[in-house]
Amino acid sequence: MAKQKRISPRGKQRYEEGWEDFSLKAEWFQRYRDPGAGRSLKEVYDAALVQAHRMENHIHEAPPMPEKELRKAVLGLEPRRKATVTATKNPNAKGAIGFASGAVKISGEGDLTNSVLYLPLDPKLKASVDENTICIFRYVQRTRAWKKMPVCGIDPKGTVAWARVHEPGIYIAIALPSDPIMQASLLLLYMHKAKFPPTLKKEERIRVAKGILKGNGKLAMLLSGLDEDIIESGKRSAKKSPIGKSARGGDFGGFPGDLPMPGDLPGGGFAEWDILDDICPPWLGPGHLYIPGRWPRLPILWPPIVFPWPPFPWDWKAIGPKNINGRIGSLCIHPSNSNILYAGAANGGVWKTTNAGLTWIHKWVFEDSMAVGALALCRNYPNVLYAATGEDTPGWGPSYPGVGIYKSIDSGETWNKCVGGGTGDRCMKVLVHPTDSNTVYVASNSGLYKTTDGGATPWSLIHTGHCTDAVMDPSNPLIIYVAIWNDGIYKTIDGGTTWNAANGGWGWKWTGFGVALVWRGIPTGAAAEWIALAIGNNGTSGTNFLIAKLGLDSGDIYKTTNGGSTWSKIAGPVQPVSYNEWTNMCAVNPDNHNILFAGGVGLSRSTNGSTFANTSGTHSDHQQLVFDPFDSNICYVATDGGVYKSTNGGQNWVLQ
């Protein structure tokens, strides 16, 4: 067996913070989830049942299954505008082993958000894969690889695969091969995927892969479930592999383990590695690998070293409570009392602290949705808050749609739903006019909406498109910037009556030989991808200073010092992530525009306006960062593991 490797400091930190997260959240639950003054447990129980029945009316996450077996792929759930689904050639036949269907192409125009693709499975291909692991993948043209759709599955009859899709492209069903030794071979290669960087040449990839398979053969045979006497004899019955070659029928050579090579190992690895990522996400550090009905539950260290004997001290079992949600999607801070903050949980409602994060109290119990996508309060009337429900992470789960906008006029003690349901069911940002608490903007998956009466009447759609972010000029609330997914940035100077593109323009640039007129803008269209925005305040260029995090995997940082007339790229890639719809944020220190933050899975910080370095102490996946209004060295960041606080300008962080 290979020598056990030392856990990295980052891995040790994530392992230990799991204990800290659980301890604090359990304390929140036990301390603050009490019946309340004058309420019996039975009354709380009855109210919870009423709420549960009410919330059932809003659930539309699960796609409707076809009433009869489908013979061709179709788009379902909602009528599509000019969208078609046709069979097409597999563009990357060597990118996976366990294909379970033919490839289809979705083409056309219109917003595909919340669409469901129904893809019939090929019976012959399906016979060679593990049905429990069937997923739908999308072909990414720029990387020439298959990318797993996060929300997907198969119908009860096992004849149709489905996935939530949000953009045109080529799709196909892929699963782990059913052959146990092929499964084990894939697992071993996956466990050593750090040895296969994209720059590695094909011949070297195959050489390294063969060495891994040969050196770990006996372990793979044990994982595959073969009896030890069969393993020692080196004999097994002939069986065809999913790629049409013999999966080592007859004599497979005994040990040290000459295992079958599953085809030509692609540069980015097999598509099935994405399925294994879901089973044992690599960002979790110490964890488990488990495939129902195939392998025993196996503890893993990261970098992965498999220990083939359960149990193990990391063999965790959930003991509850099960309704604690650590994922925080939004924050807002009181403008005159910085000890007061509000946090919106992705599926846990609204929480409030009055002591700068030492303790948190729930302020959201019996509302129609627990999914809070965005929070904001009015600067001059901070007792007025708005909470937009529905977390906007298209194509990624788990996230839940909302039921509209809630308003509180008593600092979060009580909440009432605003009139009108046309604000989109998944929201990214709420902006409140600083001196008029009735003028509010909500950026959602169906556009930017506005109310001027505090939500007493239906909201007005003032900009179309799938909004990923929006910011308001701190000194002029009529100036608003909105980011549109796979499009660009737009600006209004009259509160949303008129809009103009703010993607840049022509400007002068020093070339070394003189000045030249060059285009100074941001990527637009599909190249923009998921856009995050942040606006300055008291620093250089004032509120004309903005940064945007966008581009390939939202990894490039651009800045403007003239309100979007021109942009310049200042860094990249910084915290890029393929699932940028799930985690992508940026922030500007309001008093020093050289101090910038860029978040994705990790959090990076710049102190000179261009060079970024990783910070320490936060949980993975960052959503929003806010600053203390009196001391910008104190700041808070929302992550998938809760709220973290820094007292030294974001250099170090502590869980609150």
Side-chain angles (χ1 to χ4, degrees):
M1 176 180 295
K3 182 180 179 182
Q4 179 176 342
K5 294 185 178 180
R6 181 178 61 87
I7 306 176
S8 68
R10 181 63 173 161
K12 184 174 184 293
Q13 171 200 328
R14 288 177 174 170
Y15 174 63
E16 291 175 345
E17 78 179 10
W19 278 101
E20 185 179 8
D21 287 354
F22 182 84
S23 176
L24 283 176
K25 291 164 193 170
E27 179 185 345
W28 293 347
F29 182 85
Q30 294 166 359
R31 181 178 298 180
Y32 301 118
R33 288 286 177 177
D34 58 86
R39 303 184 71 182
S40 67
L41 286 175
K42 184 179 186 309
E43 288 174 324
V44 175
Y45 175 76
D46 291 340
L49 286 179
V50 171
Q51 182 203 23
H53 289 304
R54 193 167 64 240
M55 292 178 70
E56 285 177 357
N57 296 326
H58 298 297
I59 295 176
H60 53 273
E61 184 71 16
M65 289 300 175
E67 295 181 359
K68 60 182 180 179
E69 182 176 340
L70 297 173
R71 295 186 178 181
K72 63 178 182 179
V74 297
L75 277 176
L77 189 61
E78 298 174 3
R80 298 295 95 196
R81 298 190 298 272
K82 301 180 182 179
T84 59
V85 185
T86 55
T88 189
K89 182 180 178 181
N90 186 337
N92 187 11
K94 292 186 177 181
I97 297 171
F99 288 108
S101 75
V104 297
K105 182 177 182 179
I106 301 177
S107 53
E109 303 174 359
D111 182 12
L112 297 182
T113 303
N114 287 332
S115 297
V116 177
L117 170 66
Y118 296 106
L119 183 58
L121 301 173
D122 186 317
K124 294 182 179 179
L125 295 175
K126 181 186 166 189
S128 298
V129 300
D130 186 336
E131 182 176 311
N132 295 321
T133 65
I134 292 177
C135 300
I136 289 184
F137 285 69
R138 179 173 64 85
Y139 181 67
V140 181
Q141 182 66 43
R142 65 173 178 267
T143 59
R144 298 181 182 180
W146 293 105
K147 178 181 178 181
K148 179 183 170 295
M149 303 305 296
V151 183
C152 57
I154 60 174
D155 72 320
K157 295 182 180 179
T159 59
V160 177
W162 63 268
R164 289 193 172 274
V165 298
H166 52 268
E167 60 183 306
I170 297 176
Y171 296 83
I172 202 166
I174 299 174
L176 296 178
S178 58
D179 181 89
I181 295 186
M182 292 298 288
Q183 275 195 8
S185 300
L186 272 175
L187 171 61
L188 286 171
L189 294 176
Y190 165 79
M191 289 165 54
H192 294 84
K193 63 181 180 180
K195 298 179 180 179
F196 303 102
T199 55
L200 200 63
K201 294 183 178 180
K202 176 181 177 181
E203 297 79 9
E204 184 65 12
R205 286 199 308 270
I206 295 178
R207 185 191 68 78
V208 173
K210 287 184 176 180
I212 292 170
L213 295 177
K214 186 176 181 66
N216 295 274
K218 189 165 186 176
L219 173 58
M221 297 299 178
L222 289 170
L223 292 176
S224 70
L226 294 180
D227 293 334
E228 289 197 26
D229 57 342
I230 297 178
I231 295 175
E232 295 302 333
S233 68
K235 301 287 185 180
R236 65 174 295 211
S237 60
K239 188 173 185 178
K240 291 291 183 178
S241 76
I243 55 175
K245 300 177 182 178
S246 172
R248 198 62 68 175
D251 183 359
F252 55 76
F255 287 96
D258 185 13
L259 292 178
M261 178 66 187
D264 294 334
L265 181 66
F270 291 106
E272 288 88 345
W273 288 3
D274 280 0
I275 300 175
L276 293 172
D277 270 345
D278 273 359
I279 298 168
C280 178
W283 55 87
L284 289 182
H288 293 91
L289 176 69
Y290 178 62
I291 297 182
R294 179 59 59 195
W295 297 316
R297 187 178 296 274
L298 296 171
I300 291 183
L301 286 177
W302 202 264
I305 300 295
V306 171
F307 295 86
W309 61 81
F312 196 75
W314 291 338
D315 194 9
W316 289 76
K317 290 184 177 13
I319 59 174
K322 296 182 179 179
N323 58 347
I324 295 175
N325 191 299
R327 176 170 166 75
I328 304 298
S330 54
L331 291 170
C332 64
I333 190 167
H334 197 285
S336 58
N337 184 349
S338 54
N339 287 323
I340 299 176
L341 290 92
Y342 299 87
N347 193 31
V350 177
W351 293 76
K352 178 181 180 180
T353 178
T354 58
N355 52 18
L358 293 178
T359 57
W360 294 82
I361 304 171
H362 72 286
K363 294 297 178 183
W364 197 287
V365 181
F366 294 120
E367 282 62 39
D368 290 354
S369 172
M370 289 289 108
V372 178
L375 272 174
L377 51 72
C378 180
R379 187 177 68 194
N380 283 21
Y381 303 95
N383 59 307
V384 180
L385 292 97
Y386 291 85
T389 63
E391 185 191 17
D392 191 16
T393 56
W396 296 94
S399 61
Y400 302 92
V403 296
I405 313 301
Y406 277 84
K407 178 181 180 180
S408 173
I409 59 174
D410 55 9
S411 301
E413 295 303 315
T414 59
W415 296 84
N416 291 292
K417 193 190 299 184
C418 296
V419 173
T423 51
D425 64 354
R426 296 173 185 269
C427 303
M428 281 298 295
K429 186 63 73 69
V430 177
L431 305 174
V432 184
H433 194 287
T435 61
D436 178 7
S437 62
N438 286 322
T439 298
V440 186
Y441 303 83
V442 171
S444 76
N445 57 343
S446 59
L448 184 69
Y449 292 82
K450 179 181 181 180
T451 180
T452 56
D453 58 14
T457 59
W459 300 56
S460 300
L461 177 64
I462 61 173
H463 198 291
T464 59
H466 192 138
C467 301
T468 63
D469 207 348
V471 294
M472 178 184 287
D473 188 315
S475 62
N476 185 349
L478 294 178
I479 299 177
I480 296 171
Y481 301 83
V482 62
I484 305 298
W485 187 23
N486 287 333
D487 187 348
I489 301 170
Y490 295 85
K491 177 181 180 181
T492 179
I493 59 173
D494 53 18
T497 302
T498 58
W499 293 87
N500 291 294
N503 300 315
W506 294 96
W508 296 103
K509 181 180 180 180
W510 175 256
T511 63
F513 300 96
V515 293
L517 191 63
V518 296
W519 175 257
R520 297 182 61 188
I522 60 170
T524 57
E529 295 199 11
W530 195 265
I531 308 171
L533 296 174
I535 190 167
N537 193 1
N538 301 320
T540 306
S541 303
T543 58
N544 282 319
F545 182 92
L546 290 90
I547 62 171
K549 186 171 182 285
L550 73 168
L552 178 61
D553 294 336
S554 297
D556 294 329
I557 312 295
Y558 286 77
K559 79 171 182 179
T560 177
T561 58
N562 50 26
S565 296
T566 60
W567 294 81
S568 59
K569 183 177 177 180
I570 59 175
V574 182
Q575 295 296 340
V577 56
S578 61
Y579 50 98
N580 48 6
E581 303 98 319
W582 179 270
T583 173
N584 182 37
M585 55 82 46
C586 58
V588 180
N589 185 299
D591 300 319
N592 185 343
H593 293 174
N594 282 323
I595 299 179
L596 310 174
F597 294 87
V601 176
L603 181 64
S604 296
R605 174 176 176 265
S606 173
T607 57
N608 61 6
S610 60
T611 304
F612 286 79
N614 292 340
T615 64
S616 62
T618 62
H619 191 281
S620 58
D621 295 348
H622 299 75
Q623 317 301 332
Q624 187 177 358
L625 192 149
V626 297
F627 295 88
D628 186 302
F630 303 105
D631 183 358
S632 58
N633 283 316
I634 300 174
C635 45
Y636 302 82
V637 65
T639 78
D640 277 13
V643 180
Y644 287 78
K645 179 180 180 179
S646 174
T647 57
N648 58 6
Q651 297 179 56
N652 306 102
W653 299 86
V654 177
L655 180 67
Q656 295 303 102

